[in-house]
């Protein structure tokens, strides 16, 4: 009996569920699967071994559905190739995710003197206030931040609204400033 006929017989026996046939198929074909899998240079030795194991698990589960017993080796290598490609795609995707989530290296920017930084921050806040649409929120914010001499209660009395309305408007503005400052810092520039 020739080698391919012997292999087909072992495949037939394994498809019927004979435990010893699985071991014999593994022993006879593992070098071929290992050679193919280790040809994927981006996989390390542990990953190659994982792919080999996954290949046999899948192949042995699907063995009863193999129609052409003589095509076992080609079929097995196809499974191994697909498992290796899937592993590489997963590895590439994981690496890309890690690269995207890593903190970028801070740029080397000379520190501004504190007085200049305060001036710059005030200019940004003034600009944000000027960009607000005309209305009650803008009036409230101007009175509180630009004039800076009135308390929230005094602003509420002057505008004829409750103190809670003034507090809410100021909170919304502070949240807007935080988002804008964060956006600008992340963009790495001040406009």
């Amino acid at each position: 009996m020739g080698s391919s006929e012997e292999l087909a017989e072992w495949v037939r026996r394994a498809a019927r569920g004979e435990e010893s046939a699985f071991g014999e198929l593994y022993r006879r074909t593992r070098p071929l699967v290992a050679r193919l899998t280790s040809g994927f240079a981006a996989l390390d030795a542990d990953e190659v071994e994982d792919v080999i194991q996954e290949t046999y698990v899948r192949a042995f589960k699907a063995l009863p559905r193999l129609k052409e017993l003589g095509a076992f080796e080609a079929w097995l290598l196809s499974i191994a190739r697909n498992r290796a490609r899937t592993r590489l795609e997963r590895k590439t995707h994981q690496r890309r995710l890690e690269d995207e989530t890593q903190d970028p290296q801070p740029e080397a920017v000379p520190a501004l003197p504190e007085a200049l930084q305060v001036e710059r921050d005030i200019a940004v806040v003034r600009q944000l206030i000027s960009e607000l649409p005309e209305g009650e929120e803008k009036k409230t914010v101007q009175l509180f931040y630009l004039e800076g001499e009135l308390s929230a209660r005094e602003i509420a009395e002057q505008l004829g609204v409750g103190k809670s309305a003034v507090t809410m408007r100021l909170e919304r503005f502070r949240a807007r400033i935080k988002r804008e400052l964060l956006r600008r810092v992340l963009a790495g520039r001040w406009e």
Side-chain angles (χ1 to χ4, degrees):
M1 197 188 297
S3 176
S4 62
E5 291 172 3
E6 285 179 36
L7 190 61
E9 180 57 31
W10 285 111
V11 172
R12 189 175 296 108
R13 290 171 65 184
R16 288 191 304 243
E18 288 183 34
E19 291 294 322
S20 62
F22 288 114
E24 186 62 22
L25 284 175
Y26 181 80
R27 187 188 67 72
R28 287 175 179 246
T29 58
R30 188 186 191 292
L32 189 62
V33 173
R35 206 169 25 255
L36 175 116
T37 309
S38 37
F40 286 84
L43 297 178
D44 64 31
D46 290 336
E47 291 169 323
V48 166
E49 193 57 39
D50 287 346
V51 168
I52 292 170
Q53 296 305 316
E54 290 171 17
T55 298
Y56 281 99
V57 167
R58 285 181 179 259
F60 288 163
K61 279 184 181 177
L63 195 56
R65 295 190 304 267
L66 180 63
K67 294 189 182 3
E68 182 58 49
L69 301 181
F72 176 76
E73 283 181 320
W75 177 71
L76 184 65
L77 291 176
S78 175
I79 293 172
R81 192 175 302 106
N82 289 338
R83 296 286 43 175
R85 285 180 181 152
T86 300
R87 176 64 63 115
L88 283 176
E89 288 170 7
R90 206 176 308 137
K91 189 175 180 176
T92 301
H93 180 70
Q94 182 66 32
R95 194 175 303 126
R96 196 175 306 127
L97 281 177
E98 288 170 1
D99 289 347
E100 289 173 3
T101 56
Q102 283 182 352
D103 290 335
Q105 294 299 317
E107 295 178 20
V109 178
L112 285 175
E114 191 174 327
L116 283 177
Q117 186 60 48
V118 169
E119 252 182 73
R120 190 180 232 178
D121 292 347
I122 290 171
V124 169
V125 172
R126 286 181 185 276
Q127 179 186 354
L128 290 172
I129 291 172
S130 72
E131 292 171 359
L132 284 173
E134 292 301 322
E136 296 302 314
E137 183 178 358
K138 186 171 186 174
K139 276 187 214 171
T140 303
V141 169
Q142 285 173 327
L143 287 171
F144 191 81
Y145 287 105
L146 297 183
E147 293 183 22
E149 295 177 10
L150 299 176
S151 68
R153 183 179 315 284
E154 292 168 328
I155 293 171
E157 289 170 7
Q158 187 173 342
L159 296 176
V161 296
K163 182 181 176 233
S164 62
V166 169
T167 305
M168 195 59 148
R169 291 172 188 168
L170 293 173
E171 286 300 317
R172 275 196 306 262
F173 179 69
R174 288 181 192 118
R176 181 178 291 159
I177 284 182
K178 285 178 185 175
R179 282 192 308 272
E180 181 60 20
L181 291 177
L182 182 60
R183 183 190 70 76
R184 290 179 185 202
V185 166
L186 292 176
R189 68 184 192 294
W190 291 92
E191 295 176 9

